Amino acid sequence: MRLRRIIILILTVVTSILLVCIFTPRVIIPPTDTEQAIAVYVLDFYWHSELVLPNSKGGLIVYAYGDWNYFALNKQDFHNGLAALFIPTKGALGRRKFSNIDQLREMVAKKNAKLLSFEVAQTKAMQLVKSLDKRFMKNIDTLIENDLIGLTFVQEEQKYTILHNSNHELVAWLKDLECQVNGLVMWANFRVHNR
């Protein structure tokens, strides 16, 4: 009986710690010394996140990462949901272009998302755009339009799992922009902390 209570206590403590870590906001800390600073954005859909960068034509481009079947093909049934979480599945890289910030804000309002804004070095932002566009073009023969989500997708070489989802990919992109991210990354729930 005593061993059982100890096991229950340990499981309760571990579960509580995990829940706190999972649901505590992830904190994005932008770089402090930015040459020619430019605004970038994170779209936070609470479970899923996307990055919005400026493009060379003065507009904005959204980049998203997810599971090919579940996210790109809208096969959002129980089987594909479980596969996306627990089995390494085919990844998808998506993008969408906006001509200005007002169009982006209109979409954010319709989808009830959070739009976070901060500044990074323009050169870093443009380098990341080039890198992501190169990844996108590498598999252009797999291109599909997803009108329901509003993104264009290509298949990705990186496998999608619960341990490498859209939020993990976002954190990697943010690090390319010289941002720091504090907190356990599983779901979105990001916030920005300026130093």
Side-chain angles (χ1 to χ4, degrees), residues 119-137:
E119 292 186 340
V120 299
Q122 183 174 4
T123 54
K124 291 293 181 185
M126 292 303 131
Q127 285 172 358
L128 185 55
V129 168
K130 273 186 177 175
S131 172
L132 291 171
D133 280 345
K134 186 176 180 181
R135 272 174 65 180
F136 193 87
M137 295 308 291

Side-chain angles (χ1 to χ4, degrees), residues 42 47-51 53 63-67 71 91-94 128 131-132 135-136 156-177 181 185-188 190:
V42 168
W47 297 103
H48 165 80
S49 58
E50 300 173 0
L51 182 64
L53 295 167
Y63 294 95
Y65 175 80
D67 174 79
F71 190 41
L93 182 63
L128 185 55
S131 172
L132 291 171
R135 272 174 65 180
F136 193 87
E156 245 304 278
E157 324 243 308
Q158 174 71 46
K159 296 290 185 188
Y160 182 93
T161 69
I162 195 168
L163 299 175
H164 186 85
N165 61 34
S166 65
N167 305 305
H168 297 102
E169 192 69 25
L170 174 75
V171 168
W173 297 341
L174 291 172
K175 288 180 179 177
D176 287 342
L177 296 172
V181 180
V185 177
M186 190 62 67
W187 288 277
F190 288 95

Side-chain angles (χ1 to χ4, degrees), residues 85-191:
L85 287 175
F86 299 111
I87 301 169
T89 55
K90 191 172 301 206
L93 182 63
R95 69 181 184 184
R96 177 179 182 178
K97 295 178 181 177
F98 291 95
S99 58
N100 58 54
I101 188 67
D102 293 332
Q103 284 183 340
L104 176 66
R105 285 191 176 122
E106 184 180 318
M107 184 275 293
V108 167
K110 284 180 186 174
K111 294 194 175 191
N112 195 26
K114 221 174 19 173
L115 182 65
L116 305 172
S117 173
F118 50 95
E119 292 186 340
V120 299
Q122 183 174 4
T123 54
K124 291 293 181 185
M126 292 303 131
Q127 285 172 358
L128 185 55
V129 168
K130 273 186 177 175
S131 172
L132 291 171
D133 280 345
K134 186 176 180 181
R135 272 174 65 180
F136 193 87
M137 295 308 291
K138 184 175 183 181
N139 293 309
I140 197 70
D141 58 321
T142 63
L143 185 127
I144 62 154
E145 298 279 338
N146 184 320
D147 294 330
L148 185 64
I149 295 176
L151 293 166
T152 302
F153 288 98
V154 295
Q155 292 179 3
E156 245 304 278
E157 324 243 308
Q158 174 71 46
K159 296 290 185 188
Y160 182 93
T161 69
I162 195 168
L163 299 175
H164 186 85
N165 61 34
S166 65
N167 305 305
H168 297 102
E169 192 69 25
L170 174 75
V171 168
W173 297 341
L174 291 172
K175 288 180 179 177
D176 287 342
L177 296 172
E178 297 185 340
C179 296
Q180 294 178 21
V181 180
N182 295 336
L184 178 68
V185 177
M186 190 62 67
W187 288 277
N189 195 17
F190 288 95
R191 68 182 174 89

Side-chain angles (χ1 to χ4, degrees), residues 9-22:
L9 178 63
I10 290 170
L11 288 174
T12 303
V13 169
V14 168
T15 302
S16 298
I17 290 169
L18 280 174
L19 287 173
V20 167
C21 288
I22 288 171

